[in-house]
Amino acid sequence: MSKWESVIGLEIHVQLLTKSKIFSSSSTMYGKDPNKQASYVDLGMPGTLPVLNKEVIKKAVQFGLAINAEIASKSIFARKNYFYPDLPKNYQISQLDLPIVEGGYIEIKDSNNANKKINITRAHLEEDAGKSIHSNEQNCTFIDLNRAGTPLLEIVSEPEISNANEAVSYMKKIHSIVTYLDISDGNMQEGSFRCDANVSVRKIGDKKLGTRTELKNINSFKFVEKAINYEIKRQIDLLEDGKTIVQETRLYDENKDVTRSMRSKEEANDYRYFPDPDLLPIEIDKKFIEEVKESLPVLPDIKNEFYKSNYNFSDDQISIILGNSYTTNFIDQALSYSKIEPQKVVNYFISSIYAKLNKEKLKLSEGKINAKEFCEILDLIENKNITRKDLKNIIDDIWSGNYDMQNIVEKYSSENSSSETNVDDLIKNIILNNEKQVQQYKSGKTKIIGFFVGQVLKEAKGSDPSIIKDKIINFLDSI
Amino acid sequence: MFDKNKVKDVAKLAMIEIDEEDLEFFSEEIFDFLKLVEQTDSLNLSDVDPLYHAPENTLHAREDIVDENPKNDGINSSPSHNGSHFIVPKVIE
Amino acid sequence: MDIYKKSIIELSRLLQKKELSSLELTKYFLDRIRSFDSKLNSFISINEEASIEQAKLADKLISNNSESLLTGIPVAHKDLFSTKGILTTCASKMLENYYPPFDATVVSKLAKVGMVNIGKTNMDEFAMGSSNETSYFGPVKNPWDLETVPGGSSGGSASAVAARLSPVATGTDTGGSIRQPASFCGLTGLKPTYGTVSRYGMIAYASSLDQGGPIGQSAEDCALLFDEMKGYDNNDPTSNSKFKNEKIKLDLKKQDAKNITIGIPKEYFSSKLDVKILDVLNEAIEIFKKMGFNIKEVSLPDHEYTIPAYYILASAEASSNLSRYDGIKFGHRCDKPKSLEDLYLRTRKEGFGKEVKKRIMIGSYALSSGYYDEYYMRALKIRRIIRDNFMSTFENVDFLFAPTCPSTAFKIGEKSSDAVAMYLSDIYTTPVNLAGLPAVSIPVGFSNNMPVGMQIIGNDFSEGNILRISHLFQQETNWHKQTPKEFDCE
């Protein structure tokens, strides 16, 4: 047993899913030409002023309510002053005193699979910085300020996380909340969801926290785990060698799987926080909070229990249904419309729509199909108007946008009826070409039906054998 | 005491290079000013709330709408750009 | 015709009767600038071509009968109002070659009614100064005595209007920067309630205090200009929507005066004030009394704490506002930076003047770890006391009189070696900024042949009333009609 224990606190930066930036009306779209989404306000040009985006407040309040936090009735923005080229004004508009969200908690599973509560200190709003691209060849750094001013919610946990696994669970839980609420797209590759981890170790039983290091900008669950594990080991090794931990900012190098000190952040910064004199206090009235509360969806944890106890859905099924609120709503609606048993509805959904979305990186929120239409298609399958196999093609057609429900139904049911006539012709041909077997049937050897069914199925693959059998008997009896 | 070393510290925070011969000027001027501020030390302010803006008011927020004609030619004002990026001496992380 | 002496209404009448075109008027004032400004240095730049284009547009508006009283009238803008494609320097080397890609709201509002931007006026660098001596483009002179300062920071605007190089001008007032130069130059200047005039495009000095306003010969001219400057602006988060944005009617009658009580704060009219100035102010107050106003002595304590609080707050905000000048996105950049830090350090060393550097350092210090509570927080609390004192006084009186400055215009160089003395000269103007109130400075006489100004301070959004009272006074007096001799000619 190790005599050391680790203490971890996470700061998660979530880019909020708004159309425009937090303080300007530039688009927040990712991946545009450099500096083409940097307006005069984003560049901090002399005389420009920040104007707050309402939607940002709403999303922060949604998050606060989802984690049972206090929503501040009065909240203020502050300036964090430091010089850095991707920070156009050389101060970041953030929050210090009176953040929009204070308190709250989420629950995760600890290593014994028991529920563990992680308290959240605060969540505050701030503007994102731009991006620096360092060039060795040209010995300079290029600055792209498109990202500058993208709204961020910084979610700060208490130092109550005990190990890397818990950190990942915590991060996943926050990720599921923000994506479920549609507060963020949660895209970690594009940096919409990133994490700083404060890591320290102490002897088991010690009350006092050890000296911590801050691991900056980790953008995947896997790297959070690796970086924290590396850092814990590094700190324990140092302490066991009788050395001390330096309080510093470290960067995780994913290629080498190590953390290293960030030279640029070596000096303790004096950020000179003060209330932003360009921005007046935000007042959030109770009525607004109530409205947001009423429109808040039932959260994943509660839904999870509901699906298990009412429908006996599997964990895999539930994790797909709870992937985002659109999917959840879709399934809930489908379950209420459909007369088919819930398991089947979910399986049909997963094998058709979900498979397509997943494969082609599409979104249910595009609104190509609603739950009612989906149920109509399922009814057609159940009534054998169309086959189960058609479902996939129907979904493709719907996504292609060239069909509406009406003509899709016509297309597939007529295809099936035409294939039915084909099957009828086929049966007729086979029977008329096998006179010997017909005689055997007529003489009472009814088992010979199996031969005809086999012949037909050879040609008409995928047909329902019981229907074929009925048809063959009907025809044989008619001649 | 706002001596020359203090000037150096604060100038660093403010990212302004100060010539050795100007240190005394700034240290004296700032010292004199801070002496003026000391006159307020007698005021008991413990029960007074700070006032950030007057008249006091609350923030108006705007709708989440994207500017259809983005003002994105600001980069042309830069003394060091290549048309797409601002350029600075290489930053060491 | 003595065009230079005329009021906006008089000029507007000539334009509307087609006795004069805006083009002629614009050229006339451009000529005056050419003839006289070498003595004053009141303009940093003129842009003749753009002015003439605007004048031609104004003439079209007039011929279509779609003009307002301001259409075709030249206006000079303080060089911290951003003007699209036109040099905007803030009187700093830092912005020596800066051509903003957009117009300030005030600039576009005035252009929209057909005013002609005749040029950009000199000022203290980044509006930091009370004498116009901190300009990178050299000091401005007072037309009443070329050896004295015009005041600051809107010194160029005041000097230009006083010498009649422009009928009116815009200015900004953070701690007295409209009222003090108006007073030194014998003009009328209005500092509106905070939040009334948009700050968008106005290059920031101290965001919670900066406010744009008009400088003119008379309360009437100021009212006309202010009418078009004010108004709620979506682009300014501190813009206030709580006032009625109506045109000001200068319809106050003498018989209404008896219903108005004006307070004289005894602390402001104490023996500390220059005796000659006190005499001039008392004579003016006598005139108000004769006009029927009720005058009452009141107490407005603690104003001596304003100067430290004001300079702490303004410097703190400025230290952060001016961080953006780093040689990357706009403005001056040092030659061949060796590193990022070298780029910052040298760009800011070369680009800023001494006063600006000093205030950035004071501000950085006041906000720094360990000093925030002692300096910045205490200053904010003093601010509350100053505002509360005004508010309790306004329970007893409708308006307040106050001196604008402790002295008349001083000699160039006289105070530049004593910074604290210079700061203390803002003692009567800064309380109004900390309290966010509107105040006007009007000329009320002369002391040693130099103009003396007096403030009328009102409650939030009372600009209309303080201008009405000023206008009534100006119908009884001629102080506002005086022109300095050297410039009193075609």
Side-chain angles (χ1 to χ4, degrees), chain A residues 44 47 50 79 81 88 90 270 278, chain C residues 201 237 320-321 323-324 326 329 369:
Chain A
R79 293 183 183 178
N81 294 284
N90 288 316
D270 185 344
D278 280 333
Chain C
S320 176
N321 283 334
S323 290
R324 71 193 65 204
D326 59 6
K329 292 140 310 212
S369 163

Side-chain angles (χ1 to χ4, degrees), chain B residues 4-80:
Chain B
K4 288 183 188 178
N5 285 328
K6 194 82 204 172
V7 176
K8 280 184 191 166
D9 290 348
V10 177
K12 194 158 185 227
L13 209 52
M15 283 290 181
I16 301 171
E17 186 176 286
I18 306 284
D19 285 335
E20 197 62 34
E21 62 261 34
D22 286 336
L23 287 176
E24 186 153 340
F25 166 82
F26 285 115
S27 111
E28 278 173 10
E29 293 248 322
I30 297 173
F31 179 78
D32 286 350
F33 171 70
L34 294 177
K35 245 186 359 205
L36 188 71
V37 180
E38 275 172 28
Q39 292 173 7
T40 68
D41 286 355
S42 56
L43 271 178
N44 180 2
L45 298 169
S46 50
D47 295 332
V48 183
D49 286 331
L51 177 63
Y52 297 97
H53 285 95
E56 284 177 283
N57 197 3
T58 54
L59 195 61
H60 291 261
R62 65 181 171 83
E63 299 298 329
D64 182 22
I65 297 170
V66 173
D67 190 347
E68 283 173 22
N69 303 300
K71 316 280 185 301
N72 56 15
D73 57 347
I75 192 168
N76 298 327
S77 299
S78 168
S80 178

Side-chain angles (χ1 to χ4, degrees), chain A residues 81 270-275, chain B residues 13, chain C residues 312 315-317 319-320 361-372 375-376:
Chain A
N81 294 284
D270 185 344
Y271 291 123
R272 289 156 289 145
Y273 274 102
F274 75 113
Chain B
L13 209 52
Chain C
I312 291 284
S315 301
E317 294 182 18
S319 72
S320 176
M361 285 196 274
I362 289 174
S364 302
Y365 179 65
L367 290 174
S368 66
S369 163
Y371 298 96
Y372 182 91
Y375 292 111
Y376 184 70

Side-chain angles (χ1 to χ4, degrees), chain C residues 187-232:
Chain C
L187 299 171
T188 305
L190 172 71
K191 183 262 159 192
T193 313
Y194 184 81
T196 318
V197 171
S198 169
R199 293 190 298 115
Y200 186 76
M202 218 174 87
I203 298 177
Y205 158 26
S207 308
S208 80
L209 299 162
D210 293 343
Q211 189 59 200
I215 297 178
Q217 273 190 123
S218 63
E220 182 185 84
D221 283 359
C222 284
L224 288 168
L225 193 59
F226 175 62
D227 272 341
E228 298 301 337
M229 290 176 81
K230 68 183 197 261
Y232 180 74

